[in-house]
Amino acid sequence: MTAPASHTERLPGDPRVVTRVFALTDVGRTREHNEDTFLVADLESGTPLDFTYGYHEITADPHGLLFLVADGMGGAASGELASSMAGALVLEALRHTWKTADPSPEAFAEALRDATVLANARIHQHARENPEHRGMGTTATIAGLLGDRLFMVQVGDSRAYMVRAGDVQQLTKDQSLMQRLVEAGELTAEEAEVSERRNIILQALGPEAHVTIDLTHQQVRRGDTLILCSDGLSGLVRAPEIARTANEEQDVRSICTRLVDRANQLGGPDNITVIAARFDGDALRASGNGDSFGYNTFPLAGTLNDDAREPLPTTRETRSTLKSDPTPRFGTPVPSRAILEEEFERARASEDHAVLGAPEPVVEERRRAVQPVFLVLGVIALIAIIWFLFELFG
């Protein structure tokens, strides 16, 4: 299919990055509703792209491009709403703060951080004001291209991969129970991939009032292919097969179609969403043997990769307030497997994605329920002490 015309007229001698991109979402084989969302937008105009008639070829403007995949949770209506809100709110925030900003890498990273944090606050507020959507949330993997540099914002377990010269690397790190167990040395990556508990995530947009994003970056080379996907794809189709598909197909639409079809061939138990973007243009260097790529943190205040942040104390008074996150070097100790298993048991009530921890009303209800038990135990302990003293001095 013929691509739509390039979105920007280029001047002679003005090197740019040319991106061919396509996005596709599918309900899968077993779900009745699609709770996934994708969004691709030209940030110069702030306009989302429509892929009804094929892929787009974009010559990137100074303010760059936005790619987003979100996987909603909380039941059909709530999950669909949360993921669609995430895309709309992130783009709207960038329209207001980034389009008029000086297009520097640091400012872009800050704009992506602020837009994601704002989206979380708005989704959380909506759930509080509308009880029928209580517990709604969504993962979000957001990539922003500025010049020859790609920035990734990660919340949850959707993923970003880069395919370069036949190799593939995951650019994001899952914020999940399995990832923590792998980092703690309790599971291998292969064991984590097939665990029935791999859907337990540690962060999402919406369930909590505050979220701390994981922010990474990557230099782009000519011929690189970016793959963003929900876990409906990455949970079934392994990275080597994703790389093989990207290498065999020159057309980004064919890449997406083949990957979605493959996930459905493997059972399609979840919604499946994928964005494929291939980068070219004379603004990019060709990849070389010395190039390294993969998960590469970008230090920025207010993110998990804030190098200036003081480690949190782990005294008795503060230990209970520490929140699990996928980067324990910032003061959160890597928990033992026993502790993580206890957290899993608390979260398993949800058959879809579950975020560790319970809502405050649930916690308060449990607290009231166990108060009589503690009262009885206290009375028994008092009687035992009186009996002991009587035997000792009687």
Side-chain angles (χ1 to χ4, degrees), residues 148-213:
D148 65 349
R149 208 163 169 191
L150 195 65
F151 292 85
M152 272 76 58
V153 171
Q154 178 72 6
V155 181
D157 65 349
S158 294
R159 289 183 178 179
Y161 294 97
M162 183 73 84
V163 181
R164 173 181 296 174
D167 192 13
V168 61
Q169 294 292 335
Q170 186 175 331
L171 302 183
T172 54
K173 184 182 291 187
D174 295 352
Q175 297 175 355
S176 67
L177 174 63
M178 291 299 102
Q179 179 65 33
R180 290 299 297 270
L181 288 174
V182 170
E183 291 178 349
E186 300 289 347
L187 287 179
T188 66
E190 292 73 21
E191 290 172 333
E193 284 182 346
V194 298
S195 171
E196 63 182 14
R197 302 168 183 176
R198 61 185 178 273
N199 67 327
I200 304 300
I201 59 177
L202 303 177
Q203 273 204 126
L205 296 182
E208 303 291 340
H210 303 285
V211 68
T212 305
I213 68 165

Side-chain angles (χ1 to χ4, degrees), residues 12-143:
D14 180 20
R16 295 286 182 89
V17 177
V18 178
T19 304
R20 286 190 173 189
V21 60
F22 187 76
L24 184 63
T25 187
D26 188 85
V27 70
R29 292 287 181 87
T30 63
R31 299 294 180 92
E32 295 182 358
H33 303 275
N34 194 340
E35 300 180 40
D36 285 3
T37 291
F38 67 76
L39 182 142
V40 180
D42 177 353
L43 290 177
E44 195 72 22
S45 64
T47 304
L49 303 184
D50 182 2
F51 296 95
T52 303
Y53 301 106
Y55 68 84
H56 287 261
E57 182 174 297
I58 311 167
T59 302
D61 289 298
H63 283 88
L65 305 175
L66 178 72
F67 313 88
L68 176 147
V69 165
D71 181 356
M73 61 187 189
S78 296
E80 291 174 19
L81 179 61
S83 62
S84 63
M85 284 180 68
L89 289 168
V90 167
L91 181 58
E92 185 64 25
L94 290 172
R95 282 197 189 108
H96 283 88
T97 62
W98 173 239
K99 187 177 177 180
T100 58
D102 177 32
S104 68
E106 292 74 17
F108 191 40
E110 291 174 357
L112 290 170
R113 174 201 62 194
D114 295 346
T116 309
V117 169
L118 175 62
N120 176 76
R122 293 284 297 277
I123 296 170
H124 181 74
Q125 179 184 3
H126 181 87
R128 287 178 61 88
E129 294 174 352
N130 299 272
E132 68 273 20
H133 295 304
R134 182 168 296 171
M136 68 187 291
T138 181
T139 70
T141 296
I142 305 167

Side-chain angles (χ1 to χ4, degrees), residues 113 212-215 298-306 309 330:
R113 174 201 62 194
T212 305
I213 68 165
D214 192 13
L215 181 65
F298 185 86
L300 183 67
T303 72
L304 295 176
N305 306 311
D306 178 8
R309 192 160 83 187
F330 297 119

Side-chain angles (χ1 to χ4, degrees), residues 156-345:
D157 65 349
S158 294
R159 289 183 178 179
Y161 294 97
M162 183 73 84
V163 181
R164 173 181 296 174
D167 192 13
V168 61
Q169 294 292 335
Q170 186 175 331
L171 302 183
T172 54
K173 184 182 291 187
D174 295 352
Q175 297 175 355
S176 67
L177 174 63
M178 291 299 102
Q179 179 65 33
R180 290 299 297 270
L181 288 174
V182 170
E183 291 178 349
E186 300 289 347
L187 287 179
T188 66
E190 292 73 21
E191 290 172 333
E193 284 182 346
V194 298
S195 171
E196 63 182 14
R197 302 168 183 176
R198 61 185 178 273
N199 67 327
I200 304 300
I201 59 177
L202 303 177
Q203 273 204 126
L205 296 182
E208 303 291 340
H210 303 285
V211 68
T212 305
I213 68 165
D214 192 13
L215 181 65
T216 57
H217 65 131
Q218 181 65 56
Q219 207 78 21
V220 178
R221 297 287 183 251
R222 194 178 309 144
D224 283 354
T225 302
L226 173 70
I227 303 291
L228 263 63
C229 62
S230 63
D231 70 335
L233 176 67
S234 61
L236 296 172
V237 184
R238 302 294 177 238
E241 186 170 358
I242 292 175
R244 186 166 61 252
T245 302
N247 289 326
E248 292 174 354
E249 298 288 351
Q250 295 301 310
D251 178 23
V252 288
R253 181 176 183 176
S254 298
I255 293 173
C256 293
T257 302
R258 272 187 58 178
L259 290 175
V260 169
D261 288 347
R262 180 58 176 156
N264 276 321
Q265 289 172 6
L266 294 172
D270 200 356
N271 308 143
I272 310 158
T273 299
V274 59
I275 298 173
R278 181 160 284 159
F279 304 110
D280 206 339
D282 48 14
L284 297 178
R285 288 170 40 195
S287 60
N289 293 332
D291 282 345
S292 62
F293 64 111
Y295 179 80
N296 186 28
T297 61
F298 185 86
L300 183 67
T303 72
L304 295 176
N305 306 311
D306 178 8
D307 283 350
R309 192 160 83 187
E310 290 294 328
L312 294 173
T314 54
T315 63
R316 182 186 301 272
E317 290 75 16
T318 60
R319 188 178 297 119
S320 62
T321 66
L322 295 177
K323 182 177 181 180
S324 295
D325 62 54
T327 50
R329 66 189 179 92
F330 297 119
T332 305
V334 176
S336 68
R337 187 167 189 168
I339 293 175
L340 289 171
E341 292 288 356
E342 289 178 5
E343 291 296 319
F344 165 73
E345 291 300 330

